[in-house]
Amino acid sequence: MPQAWLLTGHKAGDNAQMRALASALDVETREIPMRYSPAELMVTLIGRPSLRGLDGRSKRLIKPPWPDLVITAGRRNEAAARYIGKASEGRTKIVHLGRPWHHPDGFDLVLFTPQYLLEPAEKRIELQLPLHASTRASHVSTSGFSHLPKPHIALLIGGNSGAWTLDHRHSERLARLSSELAKALSGSLLISTSARTPASATAHLESLQVPHHLWCWGQADNPYADYLASADAVIVTCDSASMLSDALAIKKPVLLFDFGDARWWRHAANFRVSAIAHRLAMRLAPRRLRRDIGRLHEPIVDAGHACWLREGTTELPPCAPYDNTDLARARSAVKKLIGAH
């Protein structure tokens, strides 16, 4: 049976995508937890295959015998993944999920989504959404929120990402619109935050006056899968492609919450260093390093699979079920790559 390594990092969405792809393949999987040294950014910018961006613990895990396949995602793991490909003299095939910082031709296969402005090519496949495994549990957990009135509306919250800033204004509006919808339907909210969710947003959610169950990032017993299994509808912040993919997978009404600022310079919260750096990169960086998440939303909304959460939304919209073929396409391409017919 082919051997596959997953280079897992600090982003839950990236790790979930890698695990989803590995679970669809007939491979023996090993996860390599990646921890980084202060030199990581410099190693990435230099762009050469190297383990110098890793700390000692992670370096010691990366040694022969080399696997048949490495699955990676995120900037920080690129140099290490390419090091494995080089050290194995090309026997190990490297599959990268998302937009690589290094030139895409440095990988054996790149699986990317529309927000990354890459052109499809022989070694690149554009998917509609990030990969995901099924999040519908075989049974619904009754712990913690079974007493809450239905319909259950799962509220999946991301946070600051690139130019997107979930500041006090937007988090207050999200809390208000979500609670107004739950109140109008005599239902409740099942709320999950993420590592990127600011404290101001959490504070607004803790003071909601409608029935709800709130799980905050870092707490034990993450009920994310149970929330989706129990959900009659989902609200998801539009910064998170992975959460949108999970929401669409349960084939229930999906509402997107937009917290972009067209006139961003009018609000001090948008002058975060990372937000300014992102805006500059979108103007000055090569096209392959740019990101426009609106390119992912538009076809989903235009096809009626989701709609926007707006002022006065008091009913669940009719949404056409989304049939996702991305995982099957990705599986076929990777099996062809490693010769696992």
Side-chain angles (χ1 to χ4, degrees):
M1 177 179 291
Q3 308 288 313
W5 287 1
L6 277 59
L7 305 187
T8 57
H10 66 295
K11 292 187 176 181
D14 287 347
N15 295 339
Q17 290 189 66
M18 289 188 280
R19 290 167 182 149
L21 178 57
S23 68
L25 301 168
D26 299 319
V27 295
E28 183 178 327
T29 301
R30 177 188 175 194
E31 294 193 7
I32 308 291
M34 304 294 278
R35 303 293 182 268
Y36 311 102
S37 75
E40 177 274 319
L41 179 58
M42 184 60 67
V43 170
T44 299
L45 293 176
I46 292 172
R48 295 176 182 173
S50 175
L51 297 182
R52 293 181 180 178
L54 303 181
D55 74 359
R57 291 171 297 175
S58 294
K59 283 182 182 178
R60 288 190 289 271
L61 295 174
I62 298 179
K63 60 185 179 181
W66 303 117
D68 302 281
L69 173 68
V70 164
I71 304 174
T72 184
R75 180 203 78 203
R76 295 182 175 189
N77 296 343
E78 287 188 27
R82 292 172 53 234
Y83 170 89
I84 296 169
K86 182 178 180 180
S88 70
E89 298 181 342
R91 190 182 73 82
T92 299
K93 303 302 180 185
I94 311 299
V95 175
H96 184 88
L97 303 180
R99 173 200 58 198
W101 278 63
H102 183 75
H103 195 281
D105 290 345
F107 303 88
D108 295 292
L109 181 65
V110 174
L111 304 171
F112 67 99
T113 44
Q115 74 264 35
Y116 302 120
L117 309 185
L118 298 178
E119 296 294 336
E122 182 180 358
K123 295 182 178 182
R124 308 173 212 165
I125 297 177
E126 183 177 83
L127 307 176
Q128 185 71 44
L129 289 167
L131 299 175
H132 68 88
S134 174
T135 52
R136 178 174 290 277
S138 58
H139 67 278
V140 178
S141 170
T142 59
S143 174
F145 56 85
S146 61
H147 64 286
L148 295 178
K150 301 197 74 159
H152 288 163
I153 304 170
L155 174 54
L156 312 181
I157 305 174
N160 298 341
S161 175
W164 300 80
T165 302
L166 187 60
D167 63 4
H168 179 85
R169 296 173 300 117
H170 295 306
S171 57
E172 185 280 329
R173 180 169 174 263
L174 173 61
R176 176 171 53 81
L177 294 182
S178 301
S179 58
E180 286 175 356
L181 176 59
K183 184 176 180 180
L185 297 172
S186 299
S188 57
L189 297 172
L190 308 178
I191 308 166
S192 177
T193 69
S194 74
R196 293 184 288 106
T197 307
S200 61
T202 304
H204 284 297
L205 298 168
E206 290 173 340
S207 61
L208 289 178
Q209 299 301 308
V210 295
H212 66 278
H213 186 274
L214 171 62
W215 182 85
C216 294
W217 182 263
Q219 295 176 345
D221 302 323
N222 187 344
Y224 184 85
D226 286 332
Y227 280 179
L228 287 171
S230 181
D232 300 295
V234 184
I235 299 170
V236 58
T237 57
C238 63
D239 60 293
S240 177
S242 295
M243 286 181 175
L244 175 58
S245 182
D246 289 340
L248 290 169
I250 69 171
K251 301 186 184 301
K252 297 293 179 67
V254 174
L255 298 99
L256 282 164
F257 176 74
D258 184 0
F259 59 97
D261 283 314
R263 299 182 178 181
W264 61 271
W265 58 89
R266 293 189 173 186
H267 304 285
N270 291 321
F271 286 86
R272 296 179 296 110
V273 172
S274 59
I276 296 299
H278 176 85
R279 293 184 187 279
L280 289 173
M282 294 306 98
R283 290 183 174 273
L284 303 177
R287 177 181 170 85
R288 65 180 177 82
L289 294 180
R290 301 179 189 181
R291 177 176 184 259
D292 178 6
I293 200 168
R295 288 166 51 91
L296 187 146
H297 300 144
E298 289 167 5
I300 297 297
V301 173
D302 289 348
H305 301 305
C307 70
W308 296 103
L309 178 66
R310 303 189 187 280
E311 299 288 341
T313 300
T314 57
E315 296 180 350
L316 296 179
C319 292
Y322 180 76
D323 293 320
N324 194 331
T325 62
D326 287 338
L327 188 58
R329 292 174 58 214
R331 177 180 182 271
S332 177
V334 176
K335 286 179 71 71
K336 181 179 179 181
L337 179 68
I338 63 175
H341 299 292

